[in-house]
Amino acid sequence: MSALTDLYEEIERCQDCELGKHRTRVVPGEGPEKTSILFIGEAPGWHEDQQGRPFVGPAGKYLEELLASIKLKREQVYIANVIKCRPPSNRDPLPGEIQACSKWLKDQIEIIRPKMIVTLGRYSMAKYFPNQSISQVHGKARKQDDIIYYAMYHPAAALHQGSLRKIIETDMLKIPQILAQAEKLTEAEAEPQQLSLF
Ligand code: URA
């Protein structure tokens, strides 16, 4: 058993908020335990709730196309959500639900130790870019401690709002270069706690 599979068993038993009563399946997240990039979406939708896997509906198909544009397959990255259970009728997650679920994401990050966390949409962005708006921070990287945080629009938003497509596609294309630069930043890492890359 890997650390992640042990964690999935714990998440599957979770009843720490009301969402546990309504779910069909928990959607803990999926991907390799050793990977450089962790993508964090919002919450499972209908398809994810049925299958117990993140990003398997239309937004997931688009995310796979975006990953392909930087020569990555979904199996090579870790994909998680802020919330592990589907909110009824896909409503927005409530602050108490986000709070109750945050321990699982924290554990996932500790196990995976990604070099880069890419937030998809405003709920995951709010965790790492508090009090900022996505229109200002998308496509910009910020390094804190050992992790680069990078905000993108949610793929579902880009599917519904055509004007965001070009933006999300351009932001995705910047990821390989940011990762490559991160590898070179080892001296800078020792000094400031926060470092703006772009
Ligand atoms: N949207 C998300 O934020 N997460 C999913 O898993 C699916 C759609």
Side-chain angles (χ1 to χ4, degrees):
M1 291 276 273
S2 72
L4 275 178
T5 45
D6 284 348
L7 183 67
Y8 297 157
E9 286 192 359
E10 273 190 74
I11 301 176
E12 274 155 24
R13 287 193 296 268
C14 181
Q15 289 292 342
D16 291 349
C17 79
E18 284 292 301
L19 297 181
K21 296 198 182 85
H22 303 287
R23 68 184 177 226
T24 310
R25 309 260 312 253
V26 175
V27 184
E30 69 180 20
E33 200 159 293
K34 285 201 189 315
T35 181
S36 301
I37 315 184
L38 165 61
F39 287 85
I40 308 176
E42 180 180 320
W46 185 85
H47 296 277
E48 292 76 23
D49 176 68
Q50 294 293 309
Q51 296 184 38
R53 297 179 58 212
F55 282 94
V56 288
K61 189 165 176 296
Y62 187 41
L63 178 60
E64 286 175 23
E65 285 170 31
L66 292 166
L67 287 170
S69 76
I70 56 168
K71 311 237 172 332
L72 285 177
K73 292 188 181 7
R74 66 177 286 151
E75 297 77 23
Q76 293 174 282
V77 299
Y78 198 88
I79 304 176
N81 282 306
V82 171
I83 294 283
K84 311 302 189 199
C85 300
R86 181 189 181 214
S89 313
N90 295 346
R91 66 154 168 73
D92 288 345
L94 302 174
E97 293 161 356
I98 294 173
Q99 177 59 38
C101 221
S102 66
K103 56 185 172 296
W104 302 128
L105 194 54
K106 183 170 165 287
D107 287 350
Q108 285 171 311
I109 293 168
E110 275 169 15
I111 293 168
I112 298 162
R113 296 164 53 89
K115 290 198 174 73
M116 183 167 184
I117 290 182
V118 180
T119 63
L120 301 172
R122 62 201 163 100
Y123 284 93
S124 52
M125 181 204 75
K127 281 184 101 63
Y128 307 107
F129 298 85
N131 306 316
Q132 304 213 44
S133 81
I134 194 153
S135 60
Q136 286 172 334
V137 299
H138 77 86
K140 298 194 178 109
R142 184 171 67 81
K143 191 161 199 218
Q144 184 160 358
D145 302 327
D146 277 341
I147 300 181
I148 295 167
Y149 297 90
Y150 185 68
M152 288 179 55
Y153 282 97
H154 196 287
L159 282 180
H160 297 130
Q161 208 179 321
S163 59
L164 292 180
R165 274 187 96 110
K166 183 78 199 144
I167 296 175
I168 197 172
E169 287 167 13
T170 304
D171 287 348
M172 182 63 92
L173 290 175
K174 291 186 195 167
I175 289 179
Q177 194 203 351
I178 294 169
L179 259 182
Q181 262 187 296
E183 317 262 316
K184 292 191 202 137
L185 276 172
T186 37
E187 309 113 67
E189 262 168 37
E191 299 215 350
Q193 278 295 296
Q194 292 199 359
L195 178 66
S196 271
L197 297 178
F198 297 100

